[in-house]
Structure formats: structure tokens, C-alpha cells
């Protein structure tokens, strides 16, 4: 995926969902743990040198797995690059759990699954499709691929 550098810098300056100085080790052999300011903004994880305003890198948190390595360490591995692992060292167990939870909930796919779940529940309780009023109820991205019939029958 390609990104415009100016847009990423602008995004990195927005209020973050979570922010802290963490130990970070990149995926290259020989990388050492360095203290970085890490900011979660929407589905991007930006990392900065602690004394600089512009990010030195960003991870798009899609198609990745977040795992706890030990009490204070979690990792991010991208599904298409399983050999590249980013490690993050937290200051406490609680902080580690909070970061893992926040990162897992930040992906587009997580939000999409929640939207589909709540859409289905609202439809079950009210008999109405909550997305219909916005004219987007038939869009593919809001459909469940379970083989079940659609929430409302297609128009003839």
C-alpha cells in the first residue's frame, strides 16, 4: 500500500488513541531495543525518536497478529511477512495488556466485524436494517460471508 508522506506526518500529529515511551526492537537481525515514543492513531502505529516531532516510521495495523511474548513484551507480526517481528517492551503488565487490546481493536477488519455484528443484532431486535437509511445496506463490505440469506430480500 502506498502512502503520501505529508498525509502520514499530518496523521501522526493528530490526537492518539494511546501513546507511551516503549522499548522497541525492529525486525532486522542485529536490531537492538531502543526507547521510542509510540502512538496509536486509528489503525497506524507511529514511532518517533523521543526527542523528535516527526515519526521515523509507521506500521499499518492490518493483516497482522499481536501476541504477548512475556509479562512486559508484545510483538506484531504481519501475515505476509511472518519472519519480520517487531517487539515492544512495556513498563508494566497492565500497560502491555492495554496496548495489545488497543492494537487488536484498531484494525479495519475488527471494526467491520463489529459493525456487521451490531447491524445483525439491531435487525434481529427491530426488524429494520440500520444501514438502509444511509443507502449503503447493499454494499459488499457490510455483508457477512456466511451463506445466510441477506438481512432484507433483494429488490425485484
Amino acid at each position: 500500500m502506498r502512502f503520501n508522506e505529508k498525509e502520514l506526518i499530518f496523521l501522526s500529529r493528530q490526537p492518539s488513541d494511546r501513546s507511551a515511551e516503549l522499548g522497541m526492537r525492529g525486525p532486522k537481525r542485529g536490531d537492538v531495543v531502543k526507547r521510542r515514543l509510540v502512538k496509536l492513531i486509528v489503525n497506524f502505529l507511529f514511532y518517533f525518536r523521543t526527542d523528535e516531532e516527526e515519526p521515523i516510521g509507521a506500521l499499518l495495523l492490518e493483516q497482522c497478529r499481536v501476541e504477548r511474548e512475556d509479562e512486559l513484551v508484545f510483538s506484531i507480526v504481519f501475515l505476509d511477512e511472518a519472519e519480520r517481528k517487531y517487539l515492544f517492551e512495556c513498563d508494566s503488565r497492565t500497560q502491555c495488556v492495554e496496548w495489545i487490546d488497543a492494537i487488536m481493536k484498531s484494525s479495519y477488519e475488527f471494526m467491520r466485524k463489529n459493525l456487521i455484528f451490531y447491524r445483525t443484532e439491531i435487525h434481529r431486535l427491530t426488524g429494520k436494517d440500520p444501514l438502509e437509511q444511509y443507502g449503503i445496506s447493499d454494499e459488499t463490505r457490510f455483508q457477512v460471508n456466511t451463506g445466510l440469506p441477506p438481512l432484507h430480500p433483494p429488490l425485484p
Side-chain angles (χ1 to χ4, degrees), residues 43 60-64 78-79 106-111:
N43 60 346
L60 176 61
L61 300 171
E62 300 297 338
Q63 300 295 310
C64 66
F78 292 89
L79 302 181
S106 71
S107 77
Y108 170 83
E109 191 58 30
F110 178 85
M111 290 183 260

Side-chain angles (χ1 to χ4, degrees), residues 43 62-63 104-120 131 138-146:
N43 60 346
E62 300 297 338
Q63 300 295 310
M104 291 175 74
K105 291 178 179 175
S106 71
S107 77
Y108 170 83
E109 191 58 30
F110 178 85
M111 290 183 260
R112 180 184 164 278
K113 286 177 182 176
N114 274 326
L115 180 132
I116 291 170
F117 171 78
Y118 288 114
R119 174 188 185 194
T120 304
L131 298 182
D138 292 328
E139 288 190 24
T140 307
R141 62 187 167 154
F142 300 127
Q143 305 307 315
V144 184
N145 299 327
T146 61

